[in-house]
């Protein structure tokens, strides 16, 4: 195999794996060796370092928080798209429709509250799909205290997401109705309209940090195609914590290859990779 400019020894690869596991909970498989060489190789060149060992020593001994963040950013996988795994958004619309019927018209600040979390939001397509879809389906939501929290460990993708601008080509394959929800932004780009941008708050957040900084309960959490990078132990801990941040009967949406089996004590499986928090779970105040 062409190792490019830098060779990665088994020992160096073990050091990279240990560091990214400790920092981000990410378990790198043997198949990720080439990715590590190409992604971290760019950083080595920028820092004018001659080997992966020298880079890891540098991170341990002199690395700034920005250097540590660059290391993690380089090793995340950010693949995503608008309306990915469409059945989740169809389910969400049904649920929010029912919730809008049931929830009292007056919340504590005069408006009923709705909170959704996109955990591991990458470049923003997932939270914007939620915002665009729900605002189109329920025009009344503009009178609600409706917020989507969108977080990711990778600070580069969070910054891109907040800009809300995408290549027009990302709309390929969407229906005409969905494509019409975006605004033209010139130069082959489209923009998320202000009404949808305004309900989403993007923040960097490492899911491994404990406790999370948010206080409140969420009506729904999307944590899709994130836990596939974690080992079973890390997944188990994360799923337990997601259970306690949902309202009783709230929904958790996973990626197609992630599952909780039948759901255990905290959840019941109600659809394809859709879990409902069990009602006996302790209710918590909304944020
Ligand atoms: C493949 S993307 C999934 C994006 C979107 N949820 C979707 O399904 O289309 C996985 C995202 O998880 C993020 N991620 C990985 N480890 C994380 C961690 N410890 N905390 C927060 N985000 C993490 C990555 O940075 C990446 O953007």
């Amino acid at each position: 195999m062409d190792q490019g400019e830098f060779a990665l020894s088994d020992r160096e690869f073990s050091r990279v794996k240990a560091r990214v596991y400790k920092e981000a909970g990410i378990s790198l498989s043997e198949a990720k060796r080439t990715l590590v060489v190409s992604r971290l190789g760019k950083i080595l060149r920028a820092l004018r370092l001659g080997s992966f060992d020298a880079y890891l020593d540098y991170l341990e001994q002199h690395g700034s928080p920005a250097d540590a963040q660059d290391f993690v950013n380089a090793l995340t996988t950010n693949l995503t798209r608008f309306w990915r795994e469409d059945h989740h958004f169809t389910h969400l619309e049904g649920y929010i429709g029912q919730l809008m019927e049931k929830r009292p018209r007056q919340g504590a600040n005069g408006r009923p509250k709705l909170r959704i979390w996109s955990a591991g939001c990458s470049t923003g397509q997932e939270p914007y799909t939620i915002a665009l879809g729900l605002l189109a389906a329920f025009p009344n939501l503009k009178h609600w205290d409706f917020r989507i929290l969108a977080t990711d460990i990778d600070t580069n993708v969070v910054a891109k997401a907040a800009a809300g601008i995408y290549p027009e080509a990302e709309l390929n394959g969407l229906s005409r109705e969905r494509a019409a929800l975006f605004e033209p932004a010139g130069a082959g780009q489209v923009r998320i309209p202000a009404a949808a941008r305004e309900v989403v708050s993007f923040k960097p957040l490492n899911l491994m940090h404990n406790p999370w900084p948010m206080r409140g309960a969420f009506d729904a959490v999307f944590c899709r195609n994130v836990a596939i990078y974690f080992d079973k132990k890390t997944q188990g801990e994360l799923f337990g914590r997601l259970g306690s941040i949902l309202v009783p009967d709230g929904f958790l949406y996973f990626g197609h290859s992630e599952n909780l089996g039948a759901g255990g004590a905290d959840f019941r499986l109600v659809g394809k990779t859709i879990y409902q928090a069990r009602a006996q779970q302790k209710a918590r105040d909304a944020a």
Side-chain angles (χ1 to χ4, degrees):
M1 179 181 49
D2 177 16
Q3 293 255 19
E5 207 174 326
F6 305 104
L8 178 71
S9 70
D10 289 348
R11 203 178 71 88
E12 287 170 321
F13 187 42
S14 297
R15 285 182 77 188
V16 170
K17 286 205 289 192
R19 185 176 175 101
V20 77
Y21 182 75
K22 183 163 157 273
E23 296 286 319
I26 294 173
S27 291
L28 289 178
S29 69
E30 199 53 37
K32 294 288 165 74
R33 274 188 99 111
T34 321
L35 176 142
V36 166
V37 172
S38 74
R39 303 248 188 106
L40 295 185
K42 285 191 191 126
I43 302 183
L44 261 68
R45 267 192 293 280
L47 292 173
R48 299 176 183 278
L49 292 167
S51 71
F52 290 100
D53 259 337
Y55 173 50
L56 290 154
D57 291 344
Y58 165 81
L59 283 178
E60 281 163 22
Q61 291 155 25
H62 317 285
S64 64
D67 289 318
Q69 185 69 54
D70 287 345
F71 171 82
V72 170
N73 287 358
L75 295 177
T76 57
T77 302
N78 308 118
L79 184 78
T80 187
R81 62 174 187 277
F82 291 105
W83 277 275
R84 182 184 197 181
E85 297 177 54
D86 205 356
H87 65 284
H88 287 156
F89 303 101
T90 310
H91 180 274
L92 180 74
E93 271 183 33
Y95 163 50
I96 300 302
Q98 286 174 12
L99 203 144
M100 289 181 72
E101 295 285 306
K102 283 198 308 218
R103 197 157 276 185
R105 296 273 172 260
Q106 290 285 108
N109 64 355
R111 292 188 300 160
K113 186 179 266 192
L114 177 62
R115 291 287 183 273
I116 298 176
W117 181 19
S118 165
C121 64
S122 186
T123 36
Q125 287 83 340
E126 180 178 275
Y128 285 137
T129 297
I130 299 170
L132 291 169
L134 291 182
L135 290 171
F138 306 109
N140 260 348
L141 266 183
K142 61 176 178 289
H143 305 301
W144 280 51
D145 173 12
F146 166 39
R147 309 273 332 147
I148 301 170
L149 173 67
T151 62
D152 202 285
I153 193 172
D154 181 337
T155 49
N156 291 335
V157 294
V158 172
K160 260 195 207 160
I165 299 204
Y166 299 91
E168 211 167 12
E170 294 218 14
L171 308 191
N172 292 345
L174 296 187
S175 67
R176 217 152 6 117
E177 290 75 20
R178 285 176 178 169
L181 299 173
F182 296 77
E183 287 174 352
Q189 298 194 298
V190 290
R191 183 186 298 112
I192 307 294
R197 260 183 295 129
E198 280 161 11
V199 296
V200 187
S201 306
F202 288 98
K203 303 256 188 288
L205 176 71
N206 182 352
L207 288 169
M208 297 302 112
H209 283 173
N210 199 355
W212 291 323
M214 330 60 101
R215 272 188 314 119
F218 290 89
D219 297 294
V221 175
F222 283 66
C223 188
R224 308 185 311 158
N225 309 297
V226 180
I228 31 166
Y229 303 105
F230 302 158
D231 62 13
K232 285 271 170 254
K233 173 176 168 288
T234 309
Q235 287 182 351
E237 286 161 7
L238 174 65
F239 298 158
R241 294 174 69 203
L242 291 175
S244 58
I245 204 152
L246 275 163
V247 298
D249 289 332
F251 289 96
L252 174 59
Y253 300 91
F254 277 139
H256 59 281
S257 60
E258 298 154 327
N259 73 76
L260 273 173
D266 295 331
F267 295 102
R268 68 177 154 267
L269 180 64
V270 294
K272 199 171 145 210
T273 53
I274 305 174
Y275 291 84
Q276 186 166 30
R278 291 189 186 275
Q280 71 264 29
Q281 179 214 313
K282 213 168 92 236
R284 293 170 60 171
D285 292 335

